[in-house]
Amino acid sequence: MGTSMNYRNSLKLTLTFSTIISLLVRVVPCTGNEPVVKKVGDKAELGHCNNDKAITNSVVMWEIHRGGKKPQTVFEKYPLDGGRVGIFRNDYGELLLEIKNVREADAGRYKCMTGTTGNMTIHKDIELIVQFGPKLPWESKNLTLHEGETGELWCNASGIPIPTIKWSRKSRDYNDTEMGISGNIVWIPNITRYAKDTYKCQASNEFGSDEGFINVDVSFPAELEVFEEELQGVNGVTNVEMACAVTANPMVNIVWYKGNETNPIQGNNWQYNEQTDDNMKEEYYTTLSILKIVLPLDDAHFDTYYCKAKNDSGHVIALKAINLARRP
Ligand SMILES: *[C@@H]1O[C@H](CO)[C@@H](O)[C@H](O)[C@H]1NC(C)=O
Ligand SMILES: *[C@@H]1O[C@H](CO)[C@@H](O)[C@H](O)[C@H]1NC(C)=O
Ligand SMILES: *[C@@H]1O[C@H](CO)[C@@H](O)[C@H](O)[C@H]1NC(C)=O
Ligand SMILES: *[C@@H]1O[C@H](CO)[C@@H](O)[C@H](O)[C@H]1NC(C)=O
Ligand SMILES: *[C@@H]1O[C@H](CO)[C@@H](O)[C@H](O)[C@H]1NC(C)=O
Ligand SMILES: *[C@@H]1O[C@H](CO)[C@@H](O)[C@H](O)[C@H]1NC(C)=O
Ligand SMILES: *[C@@H]1O[C@H](CO)[C@@H](O)[C@H](O)[C@H]1NC(C)=O
């Protein structure tokens, strides 16, 4: 998660900073400090952290370590962000660091030190935790997997406290059905074509929720099916039909051949009529192709017919034979 990563980074920065300080400066043990928890839009006041009047020219400095960024410093005379982050004196004469209209990016470590240049003492070391509603870095995404692979659906939402995730799938058969899976990953080992669907993940915490959609497509090689491998006819019969169903994703082209002829049968020529029915395609990736012999059967028609599946570069990737025999 991005956020926990930020914390790790800021911790790293803290360590680096402490190391440098210990080399430059007489080390004074840090006072333990409670983390401050705020939500986006709140006002945060950290401190107090007062100057030691006994030291001439002593100043108060807050050093801000926000996730992954270069540390920034704030002095009484030099606020940040046009005054959004600055040091002010409250009614009791204490100096506080005030952050108006807290933002997500304000999360980090805030250290107050006083003293003179080269001889500063750390008085406060406070972690500011900023709470906010979940956010996904995308609204929808497409994922194509090959049948048999392991599918990994990730839903990495930011948000503090860490959001809970709910998954559901949306297809015709699973009308927004909850999957009973929580956590930021859905793991689909040995994925099948029936897992093609739109999956929704919903991330929520007490400050809001966000949702994302993953369109999963599952590809698999062409499978051909003929309804009869052997047909019988007699001379003079008309409208003999042969049917071939192709199941594939992505869909392939179906081409019919007669016998060992190298040229395919052209659809809708004077002898043959070829039609495809895409009705089933959407749901089951199936296309039905029907070859109809429209002339009355004669000797030349009794032969073996081939239904071949070709991919977009014209390679035959599967075929089935149908034998049209003369009835004895
Ligand atoms: C650093 O400041 C402390 C007071 O906070 C003082 O006692 C000490 O002498 C100073 N050290 C140096 C090297 O100036
Ligand atoms: C996902 O695929 C659909 C249809 O193929 C396309 O319109 C859309 O732009 C794609 N979305 C992304 C995030 O690539
Ligand atoms: C989601 O976060 C996990 C760590 O929590 C990380 O391993 C994974 O790669 C991330 N996935 C995506 C798609 O960002
Ligand atoms: C799917 O859910 C919506 C809204 O809950 C409902 O209107 C629709 O009839 C449902 N469809 C099916 C096929 O169950
Ligand atoms: C994947 O699923 C197929 C079909 O259900 C099955 O034949 C195969 O053994 C499975 N493979 C693994 C590694 O589980
Ligand atoms: C097809 O096969 C037949 C015999 O089965 C043969 O006589 C004919 O020459 C072949 N034609 C082609 C184009 O190979
Ligand atoms: C078609 O199939 C051939 C042989 O399997 C393969 O090399 C080629 O990449 C495929 N083309 C497409 C567009 O899938």
Side-chain angles (χ1 to χ4, degrees), residues 216-319:
V216 174
D217 196 13
V218 183
S219 65
F220 57 91
E223 294 161 7
L224 296 191
E225 202 69 63
V226 293
F227 293 89
E228 288 129 325
E229 288 178 353
E230 175 87 24
L231 290 172
Q232 291 190 339
V234 293
N235 284 39
V237 166
T238 54
N239 294 332
V240 172
E241 286 188 355
M242 293 172 239
C244 178
V246 180
T247 306
N249 187 25
M251 192 32 82
V252 293
N253 304 305
I254 309 169
V255 187
W256 290 88
Y257 287 83
K258 179 176 179 295
N260 54 6
E261 287 172 11
T262 49
N263 291 325
I265 295 170
Q266 300 293 317
N268 301 317
N269 72 3
W270 57 279
Q271 292 193 73
Y272 302 98
N273 183 341
E274 190 200 343
Q275 65 192 57
T276 47
D277 178 356
D278 284 343
N279 279 351
M280 298 187 285
K281 192 167 164 180
E282 289 267 306
E283 289 156 23
Y284 299 113
Y285 327 84
T286 299
T287 292
L288 184 67
S289 178
I290 294 165
L291 181 74
K292 187 154 127 185
I293 304 175
V294 289
L295 289 185
L297 291 187
D298 65 28
D299 287 356
H301 288 123
F302 296 106
D303 204 339
T304 301
Y305 292 79
Y306 295 95
C307 154
K308 297 185 180 179
K310 289 189 179 184
N311 71 8
D312 281 346
S313 35
H315 287 83
V316 174
I317 47 188
L319 66 82

Side-chain angles (χ1 to χ4, degrees), residues 135-147:
K135 250 180 270 161
L136 281 166
W138 42 271
E139 271 172 43
S140 86
K141 57 184 177 185
N142 296 334
L143 183 63
T144 300
L145 295 160
H146 203 74
E147 203 165 53

Side-chain angles (χ1 to χ4, degrees), residues 150-224:
T150 295
E152 286 181 16
L153 313 186
W154 285 99
C155 185
N156 287 0
S158 58
I160 293 181
I162 291 176
T164 54
I165 311 279
K166 259 190 340 202
W167 290 90
S168 49
R169 58 186 287 186
K170 280 185 77 71
S171 66
R172 194 179 39 91
D173 298 336
Y174 301 87
N175 189 6
D176 220 352
T177 312
E178 269 200 38
M179 295 165 74
I181 295 172
S182 55
N184 66 337
I185 184 172
V186 173
W187 193 234
I188 314 175
N190 202 4
I191 196 165
T192 70
R193 62 198 67 175
Y194 309 106
K196 176 193 165 94
D197 215 335
T198 296
Y199 294 80
K200 179 172 95 175
C201 76
Q202 175 139 36
S204 22
N205 68 15
E206 59 198 283
F207 299 102
S209 73
D210 195 13
E211 58 185 27
F213 297 89
I214 305 176
N215 303 306
V216 174
D217 196 13
V218 183
S219 65
F220 57 91
E223 294 161 7
L224 296 191

